[in-house]
Amino acid sequence: MQRALRSEEMVMMPFWGLGKVTGVSHGFYHIRPLRLHHPIRIPESNLAEMGIRPILSEVEMSEIIFLQRIPQRAMRQGLSGGYNQWIELLRSGMPGVRPWILRQMCRSTGPLGPRASELRAIIRQNFREEIQVVFGCSRRQAAAYARKALG
């Protein structure tokens, strides 16, 4: 069970990136993705299903970057992951799946298809943005941390 989000809390949304909870009313969260000009309403019951979670703490992010901590569920899927499994993992909201997915994409034989290429760009951007907010660092330093996480 995911904990309730608080107003003004920063959250990570797998497909929209960073967002800010602007309010909670009548069973809905009002979240403004930083890349959009308008808030979206998401039913409380859909948060976990959509993989929306609070941004990571510095400790959690450090473990992902420097210790390359990967959720067991991701590791159990092995190298057979593909687009649909990557989407499922992103929707799980588990910390650490984004670098794991990016590594799987790099190891994939042959070029990625258009959907997977677009997904890779989204994952990369979201990962860097979360690093930047969590550590309060520059875009350049966040990109360096993201590269470190990918090994």
Side-chain angles (χ1 to χ4, degrees):
M1 178 77 181
Q2 184 173 341
R3 73 166 176 78
L5 300 176
R6 297 180 306 273
S7 191
E8 301 301 312
E9 184 171 26
M10 293 293 290
V11 294
M12 175 49 69
M13 299 178 288
F15 306 103
W16 290 301
L18 289 173
K20 188 176 211 173
V21 178
T22 58
V24 183
S25 64
H26 307 291
F28 284 88
Y29 283 100
H30 303 269
I31 301 175
R32 186 181 59 78
L34 298 184
R35 287 188 226 133
L36 297 179
H37 299 291
H38 56 83
I40 55 176
R41 286 175 29 135
I42 300 174
E44 275 184 72
S45 58
N46 288 12
L47 283 183
E49 174 183 309
M50 295 174 73
I52 298 172
R53 60 165 175 76
I55 63 168
L56 300 176
S57 69
E58 284 188 39
V59 170
E60 292 168 318
M61 186 62 80
S62 294
E63 288 177 350
I64 290 167
I65 292 171
F66 300 110
L67 302 178
Q68 297 187 352
R69 291 268 161 94
I70 305 297
Q72 292 299 313
R73 178 176 165 192
M75 289 173 36
R76 281 194 303 267
Q77 284 190 341
L79 298 177
S80 65
Y83 183 83
N84 291 331
Q85 288 177 322
W86 297 331
I87 294 291
E88 180 185 327
L89 281 172
L90 287 170
R91 285 189 175 138
S92 75
M94 289 184 292
V97 298
R98 287 174 296 167
W100 184 87
I101 292 169
L102 289 171
R103 282 195 290 275
Q104 297 309 307
M105 288 176 165
C106 289
R107 291 179 183 145
S108 129
T109 58
L112 294 175
R115 290 187 322 162
S117 293
E118 182 180 355
L119 182 63
R120 179 180 57 197
I122 290 168
I123 293 170
R124 219 183 247 154
Q125 182 175 5
N126 290 348
F127 188 42
R128 288 177 184 164
E129 286 177 355
E130 187 171 16
I131 291 170
Q132 191 175 356
V133 169
V134 169
F135 291 138
C137 62
S138 69
R139 289 174 59 178
R140 174 176 272 159
Q141 187 62 48
Y145 284 141
R147 286 190 300 275
K148 170 89 173 134
L150 298 178

